[in-house]
Amino acid sequence: LAINVTGTCFPHNCGYYLTESFDVPHGFACAIFMTDLLEYELEHNKEYTLEFFNKTGKSLDDFKTASVNFAKFLFTVFTL
């Protein structure tokens, strides 16, 4: 019901593949795709995305760095 009411986006859908195929916890799997979503949103919904960056105090590069580090961590924890 929650997804039906609030909607979802592609990190959530793509995360299912990692969860189902490699037993990566679903929240972690979704996080891997967040920078792709932010890049898309920056191109297609710039004002809203810049507001998000402003409110979080982070930049797209900050999210990219965190995403790469997180992916490296997941590869050490989960045998892919």
Side-chain angles (χ1 to χ4, degrees):
L1 180 61
I3 292 172
N4 190 33
V5 172
T6 61
T8 186
C9 54
F10 81 88
H12 187 258
N13 299 331
C14 294
Y16 275 116
Y17 174 76
L18 295 177
T19 299
E20 293 297 320
S21 298
F22 302 105
D23 294 324
V24 175
H26 190 58
F28 290 168
C30 294
I32 290 173
F33 298 100
M34 284 303 296
T35 55
D36 297 311
L37 174 65
L38 291 172
E39 285 179 330
Y40 175 88
E41 287 297 324
L42 191 57
E43 184 177 331
H44 294 87
N45 196 357
K46 189 172 185 173
E47 184 177 328
Y48 178 79
T49 307
L50 291 176
E51 181 181 347
F52 169 78
F53 289 141
N54 186 44
K55 287 183 177 183
T56 61
K58 302 293 180 186
S59 68
L60 180 59
D61 287 337
D62 293 331
F63 280 95
K64 285 181 179 180
T65 299
S67 181
V68 168
N69 291 337
F70 186 59
K72 288 178 183 178
F73 165 75
L74 286 179
F75 281 114
T76 63
V77 174
F78 299 96
T79 305
L80 301 178

